[in-house]
Amino acid sequence: MTDTSPRTTGPGAGEAVGAASGNAVAGGADLVLTGVTKRFTDFVAVDNLDLTVPQGSFFALLGPSGCGKTTTLRMVAGLETPTEGEIRLAGQDITHLKPYRRPVNTVFQSYALFPHLTIFENVAFGLRRQGKPDVDAAVAAMLDLVELSDLASRRPAQLSGGQQQRVALARALINRPQVLLLDEPLGALDLKLRRQMQIELKRIQTDVGITFVHVTHDQEEAMTMADTVAVMNRGVIEQMGAPMDLYEHPMTTFVANFLGQSNLIGGRVLGSDGADLEVEVHGTRLRVPRSRGAQDTGEVWVGIRPEKVQVCAPGSADDGPRSRLAGGVITDASFIGVSTQYLARMPWGQELMAFEQNTGAHEQFRVGDHVELRWVPEHTFLLDADQDANAGVERVDEG
Amino acid sequence: MSHPAPTQAAETQPPAKRPLGGWMGYLLLAPAALWLTLFFIVPMASMVSTSLYDPTGSLESGYAMTGHVQNYLTVLADYSEQFLRSLMYAGAATIACIILGYPLAYAIAFKAGRWKNLMLVAVIAPFFTSFLIRTLSWQLILGDQAWVADTLRSLQILGENGRLLDTPVAVVTGLTYNFLPFMVLPLYTSLEKIDPRLHEAGADLYASPFTTFRKVTLPLSAPGLVAGTLLTFIPAAGDYINVELLGNPQTQMIGNVIQNLFDGGSYPEAAALSVTLMAVIVVLVLLYIRKAGTEELV
């Protein structure tokens, strides 16, 4: 579970993590972006981006709106031209190739189905334009795959959102592109349907083995489906890797906050002791495995995920080595069924989050109780203190 | 769907107003119905009956209602040339309006950006001047001494003594000019409704810009094209001002004939010709809508 391997991937680092690329067929059909920059008149949407998407992988570009992920996707589709840089697919330079000459298809955010054509003709559109034979049989098989055969003669307006989404997928997939681009394809669906389609998409991707590049701002969606997730912010990739690696080992405050939630506490590295770093946090000394540090000297953010934090009565016993922060007072306890979410105010004024599973094995605390926060030292991570501790925090109230 | 309780429906539609619903619709229709009855149906009936009067009568001596169906045969035999010319000129003007208007409407809908409203105002602006004045000004533009004719003569496109004014070209030009906004506006309306992402989807699905236009944009703009064609062709076919001001006796359209017949007091023939024109246009329009509606104009 814990990630102990040393990391070389830093913020904005380029090389893809190919290890997790599922059923990738060996071969040079990777999608490679080199030094890609897209400048619009008043801002830089994508800034010197290096990215390799291995053939056959399910790759997610994750980030908040305006981070450049959709622009990146559109450049791969050919709907935008990079200001600088190069895009290669299977070794071929496609940077300036017209969109209709690229072996790439897109599932658009709003689906963009042709309203005047039947579902059948929508799906057949790409094959007909390419002059492929046996269009009817191919369309029938594809409609079968997405379970829409009985709606073939309907128009898009007569379908529900989920059905339209499947038509959009079928219309792109039937062309057997080398890369399928998905632009927030599940954004318009309600939560239940979205979960269902996530599983469906993953199944279809595994079946057909086509490279999927999926753009989303939903971290759960990215982690559920993708082999590799690249977290984008302000036109650059902050960090890239398998979902679990990213979650367990964030390298920037943005990733720590955008992917799940994190407690970030100001601290200072005092020195090292073998494989461990010694860190001082508001008067308390903690040990952190050296491999868990994005930075190993000077001022740092000491990070810990809320679900890793145990809320304990002061002085109670532990069943192993623990990092401890004493002197907390519970300021909020929200019981949400599977877990209880606590806020504890620490002596230096900061409120830390702790999520306790309601296994019945823990004591329940109330507002005002004095507590100690503890966690397994290997779960701590250290980040560069020059970064904004609130980067990537979702502010729901700002909409 | 069958769940919502009756109380809910009652909340959204105050029950106090519901009894009005039945005759409220008729009440709202009444002014228009009255207007149409007085100024369309009654005159229409009068026109049809006039077309069957004995043509030997006159305004002074009065007309006798003799069911004189021969009026129709007479006017068709006498004026079939002007009839065909009307349809040809109107057709030519409609085609010219499509050729000029479609790119214009397309540009306003997709390419104009912040100039969109200004361009729309420019399309409508001519309506601020009277139809008559605008057509008269074409007399100046197409005149024998004006630069247009001069240029065409120097380019050998027009003969040494060639003219623009008083020719079929001038009439069709005038018709095209006068009815162009009626083509552009409905076209713009239907083009503007097309989601630009459909163009991207076309490009993404291996369709070149031209193919995307042919397979996506054109079929989706068909309603505007049909409406524009009708709004241009129908009034153009019955127009007489353009011939009056820009044409000559050899370019007379059916509208001029009807006007002349009225001026000469031949009311039965004029009415017969008017009824025939209406009938022909109704038939043409029905055929056109039927074709456009079923074959998607691809």
Side-chain angles (χ1 to χ4, degrees), chain A residues 74 99-100 102 105-106 108 110 112-116 126 129-130 155 171 175, chain B residues 195 197-198 200-209 211 215-216 219-220 296:
Chain A
R74 289 171 61 81
Y100 53 91
R102 297 186 186 209
N105 289 110
T106 310
F108 290 87
S110 53
L113 300 178
F114 301 122
H116 59 300
R129 299 291 83 75
Q130 296 174 94
R155 303 275 166 127
R171 187 180 68 170
N175 304 293
Chain B
D195 183 351
R197 268 168 299 206
L198 294 180
E200 296 188 344
D204 190 66
L205 292 164
Y206 311 100
S208 65
T211 311
K215 292 291 180 183
V216 180
L220 285 174
E296 307 213 13

Side-chain angles (χ1 to χ4, degrees), chain A residues 253 265-268 295 297-302 382-389:
Chain A
T253 56
I265 314 159
R268 190 159 52 86
Q295 169 148 335
T297 54
E299 300 289 322
V300 290
W301 290 118
V302 177
L382 301 182
L383 302 174
D384 183 353
D386 289 342
Q387 304 171 69
D388 177 8

